[in-house]
Amino acid sequence: MNAAPTAHDVAPAARGNTRPLHHRGQRFARVASTLGKIYAGYKSIQLLEKFFGSERVSWMYHRQHATSARAIYRTAVRLEGLLIKACQFLGTRADLLPDEYIETLSQLQDRVPPRPFETVLAPLVERELGQPLSKVFADWDPTPLAAASLAQVHRARLRDGREVAVKIQYPEIARLVEADLANLRILFDLLARIERNFDLRLVLREIQRHVPLELDFLNEARNAERIRQNLAHRSDVTIPRVISELSTRRVLVLEYVEGIKVTNVDALDRAGIDRHALARLLTELFCHQILHDGFFHADPHPGNILVQPGPRVVLLDFGLAKTFPASFRAGLAQLAAAILLQDRDAAARAFQQLGFRTKRSDPSTLLTLGEAFLGHVARSGKAYADGELVEAIRDNVVRVLRENPIVEAPSDILLVLRVMGLLSGIGKQLDARVDLLQVMLPHVMAAQAEHPAVFQQ
């Protein structure tokens, strides 16, 4: 098991403030100030670039990346709540963001400054369970295994001898999340007016839908059990069992399972785990969940994935999971097949059948999105999109969206894109190659056999 974070692992600025700001106005001012300074920094470099050329200012970008990443890290640690969750996602996107961001923000995946156990979390556990800890647990490690955005996890031993991991929700986290959502609505509205190519309000609506569910650990327990049953036939994946009689809305008790963090490349290599096989397994596993089961783990960031020799994957944290109806799964499979096989007409039809609508009927916008989602990566043979490829895709997408903007998109597709993005980021850190055509086509063909009418349209 990876070593648990200690006080020495946390940045000095983070340790200086153990409690987040609670007042919504203070939180808004802190976030707005941070984003404003970052925005101004990049805009000033862009202005200089017009006069001196990109080569002469490239060092400025590297410096700005590092400065911005540290500023975001400090703000997230100070405020906690939803901001840490956002940074966890950004810190996995090694396929999209500069190294300076990844090196800094990836520290927040499971190494958030922990809360004191004895004074803050132990009383909460006793209230939730309705009895003293000593009546339930024979032993308890006050040093957390992991501390994340909404909760932290401690290792313990039950009275019957079972080793367990206990996930404890932070006492005030629900109020912080509510405040952050309100603040983000204001900031995203403002950003959409200033930078029309960066309208993130659709993403915010998805956050508003799903984050409250993550605060209900009984919902997480149900998700974990359902996925464990769906994958019970597989020997290459483990889902820890929930100890249901000791779990509540704010405390979740699971069997303790060891493993190596999926992005700890040195430890994976020492254990003799094939990184290419691991990346392939992850891709296949999520294709199976999305296209076959129709119910999938929607938050596979590195802090939620452990690896055992084999390789065998251990999935953790099922607070964010999603059910797709059969018709939507068939539409996704049709889209994936069209993109992988470079069938432009079929890709355009699949986008439209999934619910995408553009201002004009010209299908080029949707075809460009198809390439951005999957096509270039599939043909590269990598488990991720490299930096030059991402830049080319981004420029192309911005251009076509400006010429023919999307006016309607299915909200469910955002979770699929989130999963693809997280897996791409992991693939980049593993430096792995995956034949997506070979991995995905069996699942696409199975969906075609199950729903032939969709594919004949």
Side-chain angles (χ1 to χ4, degrees):
M1 191 73 173
N2 294 324
T6 68
H8 297 290
D9 295 318
V10 180
R15 294 198 302 270
N17 296 290
T18 58
R19 291 183 60 80
L21 294 172
H22 287 78
H23 192 273
R24 178 185 163 188
Q26 293 176 316
R27 296 176 70 82
F28 178 85
R30 183 67 180 260
V31 174
S33 174
T34 300
L35 295 182
K37 291 176 182 176
I38 292 172
Y39 180 80
Y42 281 111
K43 281 296 181 181
S44 64
I45 297 174
Q46 290 173 3
L47 181 61
L48 292 172
E49 189 174 12
K50 292 180 179 179
F51 291 98
F52 299 108
S54 57
E55 290 186 5
R56 297 184 66 180
V57 301
S58 62
W59 67 272
M60 294 183 181
Y61 277 111
H62 287 292
R63 185 179 65 180
Q64 180 65 27
H65 295 334
T67 300
S68 300
R70 289 194 296 269
I72 293 172
Y73 176 90
R74 287 193 298 268
T75 299
V77 167
R78 182 69 181 95
L79 301 185
E80 300 186 2
L82 197 61
L83 298 179
I84 284 184
K85 195 159 194 66
C87 288
Q88 288 175 339
F89 175 71
L90 293 174
T92 67
R93 297 310 308 269
D95 55 331
L96 294 181
L97 294 179
D99 291 342
E100 292 87 350
Y101 282 92
I102 303 305
E103 291 171 3
T104 301
L105 299 184
S106 63
Q107 299 175 52
L108 292 172
Q109 287 165 6
D110 54 7
R111 301 177 74 82
V112 176
R115 303 290 178 85
F117 174 74
E118 295 294 342
T119 58
V120 176
L121 298 183
L124 185 148
V125 175
E126 291 184 336
R127 287 196 302 271
E128 289 291 307
L129 300 184
Q131 53 188 318
L133 292 181
S134 59
K135 291 288 186 67
V136 181
F137 301 98
D139 190 27
W140 189 290
D141 187 351
T143 301
L145 291 169
S149 56
L150 307 179
Q152 68 189 47
V153 181
H154 290 259
R155 185 175 181 176
R157 183 164 51 88
L158 299 178
R159 283 289 179 185
D160 61 12
R162 285 179 291 175
E163 297 286 332
V164 294
V166 184
K167 182 177 180 180
I168 310 164
Q169 189 175 126
Y170 299 134
E172 74 292 340
I173 196 65
R175 294 196 303 276
L176 298 185
V177 166
E178 183 179 0
D180 289 342
L181 287 172
N183 289 337
L184 287 176
R185 278 196 296 270
I186 297 173
L187 291 172
F188 283 13
D189 282 342
L190 179 61
L191 179 62
R193 291 185 176 92
I194 297 174
E195 296 285 347
R196 297 193 175 184
N197 292 326
F198 294 95
D199 189 345
L200 301 176
R201 288 174 291 187
L202 181 62
V203 176
L204 179 61
R205 287 196 290 272
E206 284 303 291
I207 294 173
Q208 291 172 312
R209 285 177 56 193
H210 295 294
V211 170
L213 294 176
E214 295 188 64
L215 296 173
D216 181 359
F217 288 175
L218 292 178
N219 174 68
E220 179 178 341
R222 290 189 293 270
N223 292 342
E225 182 58 24
R226 181 174 174 182
I227 291 181
R228 194 179 68 81
Q229 291 178 359
N230 287 347
L231 301 177
H233 64 287
R234 301 185 63 128
S235 60
D236 53 7
V237 60
T238 295
I239 311 294
R241 291 179 178 273
V242 175
I243 313 299
S244 56
E245 64 272 20
L246 296 177
S247 297
T248 72
R249 286 179 63 89
R250 297 201 292 173
V251 173
L252 183 63
V253 183
L254 308 152
E255 66 173 331
Y256 175 76
V257 179
E258 291 190 336
I260 301 168
K261 186 175 177 180
V262 69
T263 51
N264 188 343
V265 174
D266 291 340
L268 293 174
D269 290 344
R270 288 195 300 270
I273 294 172
D274 186 330
R275 285 187 263 153
H276 304 292
L278 173 58
R280 177 189 171 91
L281 171 58
L282 285 171
T283 304
E284 196 279 328
L285 180 59
F286 279 88
C287 284
H288 178 95
Q289 291 180 72
I290 293 171
L291 297 178
H292 181 269
D293 296 333
F295 187 72
F296 64 98
H297 188 312
D299 193 21
H301 70 71
N304 290 340
I305 303 176
L306 302 178
V307 185
Q308 298 173 337
R312 180 185 296 109
V313 169
V314 180
L315 295 181
L316 308 171
D317 193 346
F318 295 87
L320 185 56
K322 180 66 180 178
T323 301
F324 280 157
S327 58
F328 191 82
R329 300 202 311 270
L332 283 177
Q334 183 184 30
L335 176 62
I339 295 172
L340 289 169
L341 299 175
Q342 303 181 50
D343 187 333
R344 293 171 59 86
D345 292 336
R349 288 196 303 271
F351 269 115
Q352 293 166 350
Q353 289 165 6
L354 282 171
F356 282 86
R357 300 289 182 270
T358 56
K359 189 173 182 179
R360 301 194 315 275
S361 59
D362 181 1
S364 61
T365 297
L366 298 179
L367 295 174
T368 301
L369 286 178
E371 287 294 283
F373 289 170
L374 194 58
H376 287 297
V377 178
R379 287 190 291 280
S380 74
K382 297 178 180 178
Y384 59 90
D386 57 34
E388 292 183 2
L389 178 58
V390 167
E391 185 174 353
I393 292 172
R394 182 175 59 241
D395 291 344
N396 202 20
V397 168
V398 168
R399 178 183 58 79
V400 298
L401 289 180
R402 186 183 297 118
E403 296 171 354
N404 186 24
I406 291 175
V407 296
E408 185 177 347
S411 60
D412 286 340
I413 202 73
L414 293 178
L415 279 182
V416 177
L417 297 179
R418 172 186 171 83
V419 169
M420 290 174 60
L422 289 169
L423 294 178
S424 178
I426 291 172
K428 170 71 172 179
Q429 291 175 280
L430 294 175
D431 191 25
R433 291 186 172 272
V434 174
D435 186 337
L436 288 180
L437 187 65
Q438 185 181 57
V439 173
M440 294 183 68
L441 272 184
H443 298 281
V444 172
M445 293 174 65
Q448 182 176 13
E450 186 177 356
H451 305 282
V454 174
F455 286 81
Q456 292 170 2
Q457 294 178 2

